[in-house]
């Protein structure tokens, strides 16, 4: 079974989509087929890959029909690998009480449409890795994606609200018995000591911290095929993400 990596954040503007796009490219450059399933209907991912959100939504619908598979034309070649982006997010995302949803998922784990859709979809993707990019914050689709994850990655910025929300998210994920949880600090200013920050986060949450990624300037937010990790592999952000990619490569034999 392809590892499912759910990528979540407590709010917008933490750089989650940019991180996901570059991470997918780095995995693909290692020769893997990477499917990104976008559950956030206002994500930047379609723009970053130059794809039409309407086409992506139609493709998602078609894949729910018995016997349909993802056509090779949907895959973007990246090095020896490839990337496919699917849009699964609806236009209504319902805020929920995280703890009440945990109880619901534990008592009726197959009773949600998103879970059923993904269960049908994933075997037909022929992907080595599945990246689930969630709608940020406390909402139903996000917590359902928690429950499906082999690895749950929380992306946070350095502010009090993110620190507090991340603690709650970790508690919820542990109640859902997620196999592996990791943290990534994103948009870290260059003057911050990354090693000290990582040590502080580990001490605060008692969770693995996969990296502290340097802030990227708006002018560096280029789209595929000139994403930052492609155009500037020696950029501190790219190098930090390469280390995170190495951790994901360990998930497969």
């Amino acid at each position: 079974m392809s590892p499912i990596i759910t990528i979540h954040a407590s709010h917008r503007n933490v750089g989650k989509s940019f991180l996901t796009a570059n991470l997918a490219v780095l995995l693909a450059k290692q020769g893997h087929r990477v499917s990104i399933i976008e559950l956030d209907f206002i994500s930047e991912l379609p723009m970053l890959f130059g794809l039409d959100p309407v086409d992506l939504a139609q493709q998602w619908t078609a894949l729910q029909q018995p016997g349909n598979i993802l056509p090779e034309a949907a895959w973007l070649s990246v090095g020896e690998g490839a990337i496919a982006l699917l849009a699964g997010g609806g236009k209504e995302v319902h805020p929920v009480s995280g703890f009440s949803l945990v109880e619901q998922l534990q008592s009726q784990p197959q009773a949600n449409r998103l879970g059923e859709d993904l269960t049908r979809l994933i075997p037909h993707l022929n992907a080595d890795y599945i990246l689930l990019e969630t709608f940020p914050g406390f909402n139903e689709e996000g917590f359902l994606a928690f429950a499906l994850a082999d690895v749950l990655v929380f992306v946070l910025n350095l502010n009090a609200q993110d620190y507090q929300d991340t603690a709650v998210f970790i508690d919820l994920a542990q109640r859902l018995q997620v196999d592996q949880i990791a943290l990534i600090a994103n948009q870290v200013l260059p003057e911050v000591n990354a090693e000290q920050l990582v040590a502080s986060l580990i001490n605060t949450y008692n969770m693995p911290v996969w990296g502290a990624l340097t802030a990227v300037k708006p002018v560096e937010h280029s789209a595929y095929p000139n994403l930052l990790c492609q155009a500037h592999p020696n950029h501190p952000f790219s190098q930090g993400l390469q280390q995170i990619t190495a951790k994901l490569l360990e998930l497969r034999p």
Side-chain angles (χ1 to χ4, degrees):
M1 186 73 173
S2 305
I4 298 174
I5 298 97
T6 294
I7 302 173
H8 191 75
S10 66
H11 59 84
R12 297 208 169 278
N13 301 318
V14 301
K16 176 166 59 70
S17 295
F18 187 75
L19 186 157
T20 299
N22 280 274
L23 182 60
V25 166
L26 290 175
L27 286 169
K29 288 177 69 175
Q30 295 292 323
H32 295 289
R33 290 166 67 90
V34 183
S35 178
I36 308 174
I37 300 178
E38 174 205 326
L39 305 177
D40 182 353
F41 69 93
I42 53 176
S43 165
E44 295 181 351
L45 283 171
M47 178 191 70
L48 288 170
F49 285 104
L51 300 172
D52 186 340
V54 174
D55 291 343
L56 294 175
Q58 292 174 344
Q59 192 172 73
W60 173 275
T61 300
L63 283 170
Q64 303 310 315
Q65 305 305 313
N68 285 0
I69 62 172
L70 188 63
E72 281 300 315
W75 291 88
L76 301 172
S77 295
V78 180
E80 297 297 319
I83 296 171
L85 175 60
L86 297 170
K91 292 190 176 181
E92 296 181 2
V93 179
H94 304 289
V96 295
S97 163
F99 294 102
S100 66
L101 183 58
V102 165
E103 294 177 357
Q104 174 188 334
L105 290 175
Q106 289 175 334
S107 61
Q108 295 179 307
Q110 303 300 324
N112 65 83
R113 182 185 58 81
L114 175 63
E116 292 172 355
D117 285 353
L118 291 175
T119 299
R120 287 194 298 268
L121 176 64
I122 287 173
H124 300 290
L125 293 179
N126 189 25
D128 300 313
Y129 287 90
I130 310 290
L131 304 183
L132 296 184
E133 200 219 15
T134 63
F135 192 95
F138 293 83
N139 58 81
E140 184 175 355
E141 289 198 345
F143 288 116
L144 293 173
F146 283 20
L148 295 169
D150 295 302
V151 180
L152 177 54
V153 177
F154 292 117
V155 183
L156 68 153
N157 289 169
L158 304 184
N159 59 66
Q161 187 63 55
D162 266 20
Y163 270 63
Q164 180 179 353
D165 289 348
T166 299
V168 177
F169 287 139
I170 289 174
D171 189 5
L172 294 170
Q174 289 175 326
R175 291 169 183 258
L176 288 169
Q177 300 180 334
V178 176
D179 288 341
Q180 187 173 351
I181 303 170
L183 307 179
I184 297 175
N186 199 28
Q187 299 180 337
V188 178
L189 296 177
E191 57 267 28
V192 174
N193 184 301
E195 290 185 2
Q196 291 181 0
L197 172 60
V198 168
S200 174
L201 291 172
I202 292 173
N203 182 62
T204 299
Y205 297 109
N206 193 29
M207 283 287 153
V209 178
W210 280 3
L213 300 177
T214 304
V216 177
K217 299 176 182 178
V219 295
E220 296 172 318
H221 279 248
S222 299
Y224 172 89
N226 295 305
L227 284 165
L228 186 66
C229 68
Q230 295 171 298
H232 302 285
N234 295 322
H235 189 285
F237 177 91
S238 302
Q239 293 181 333
L241 205 57
Q242 288 165 12
Q243 296 177 8
I244 294 169
T245 302
K247 295 182 182 298
L248 293 179
L249 292 174
E250 296 173 358
L251 297 175
R252 292 184 61 85

